Amino acid sequence: LCLTCLCSSPGCRAKEIKTKLGTLLQKPDSTIDFIIPYPEKPEKPPKAQKPSPEEALQWRDSLEKLLQNPYGFASFCSFLRSEFSEENAEFWVACEDYKKTKSPVKMAEKAKKIYEEFIQTEAPKEVNIDHFTKAVTMKNLVEPSPTSFDMAQKRIFALMEKDSLPRFLRSEFYHELIK
């Protein structure tokens, strides 16, 4: 009786295989390192430079200036995440990326992904747009073009500008930057 797999075969190789596998897994410099190489340390992207207080103060004037500054955008996204509304900034970025797409095939793929992630009812990161804007956007997606999401993106931009930005400017996130 083989106690490894509980079979009654006299020539059972389960115990032999288990022993070899155990030996392989215990050796730190075994051939398994060649089969599954350890990933090298990924390079970290360069950190966005912290703006001067004067530069951060300019964000009060314009959401565009805030979104164009990598550090400002990251700070704004952190703030939105704390309010459970980061989908607005993510949607805005996805639309900006979408507009730069040249290939009709890639554009259709991206349009579908954006629709499924942000626009459709019960989407994982559904943005808050009115029914009319949603209907226009869906109609635009029949033949995707660089302007397919423009109306929805403008609505979300306006929402961030009128609602999220004023709260961000009153937040600790922002006040730490202008000190």
Side-chain angles (χ1 to χ4, degrees):
L1 177 70
C2 173
L3 296 177
T4 305
C5 66
L6 300 177
C7 77
S8 58
S9 172
C12 181
R13 294 185 33 96
K15 187 173 185 178
E16 179 186 340
I17 292 169
K18 185 177 177 187
T19 303
K20 284 184 179 180
L21 186 60
T23 305
L24 250 184
L25 292 175
Q26 287 176 3
K27 288 184 181 178
D29 58 346
S30 69
T31 56
I32 199 161
D33 290 341
F34 296 110
I35 299 166
I36 307 169
Y38 294 104
E40 291 182 25
K41 228 177 185 179
E43 285 186 35
K44 290 184 179 178
K47 287 194 174 186
Q49 188 172 347
K50 186 176 179 179
S52 67
E54 294 76 27
E55 189 177 358
L57 281 169
Q58 292 178 5
W59 300 341
R60 291 179 173 184
D61 305 329
S62 158
L63 179 59
E64 284 106 354
K65 286 181 184 174
L66 172 64
L67 296 177
Q68 288 170 359
N69 181 291
Y71 197 97
F73 180 75
S75 298
F76 188 58
C77 285
S78 292
F79 170 75
L80 291 175
R81 206 169 297 115
S82 77
E83 293 202 329
F84 305 101
S85 61
E86 70 268 21
E87 70 278 355
N88 293 331
E90 290 176 19
F91 173 70
W92 185 84
V93 168
C95 290
E96 289 297 298
D97 176 61
Y98 172 80
K99 287 184 214 177
K100 296 173 189 165
T101 307
K102 301 292 181 217
S103 160
V105 173
K106 289 269 189 214
M107 187 173 280
E109 289 171 4
K110 286 182 180 185
K112 182 179 188 289
K113 185 178 179 197
I114 291 170
Y115 173 77
E116 290 173 350
E117 193 171 352
F118 298 104
I119 304 291
Q120 78 180 5
T121 305
E122 302 294 321
K125 297 177 181 181
E126 186 177 3
V127 290
N128 187 9
I129 55 174
D130 58 90
H131 292 291
F132 176 74
T133 303
K134 189 178 282 195
V136 168
T137 303
M138 288 169 58
K139 184 180 172 204
N140 290 344
L141 294 177
V142 172
E143 289 185 41
S145 75
T147 60
S148 293
F149 292 101
D150 280 3
M151 181 183 273
Q153 187 184 24
K154 285 176 184 159
R155 296 270 196 257
I156 292 304
F157 184 89
L159 180 69
M160 290 191 297
E161 190 173 46
K162 289 181 177 68
D163 188 42
S164 304
L165 180 61
R167 286 198 315 276
F168 172 70
L169 296 174
R170 291 189 300 267
S171 73
E172 271 303 308
F173 285 90
Y174 182 70
H175 285 275
E176 285 299 313
L177 291 171
I178 59 172
K179 282 185 181 178

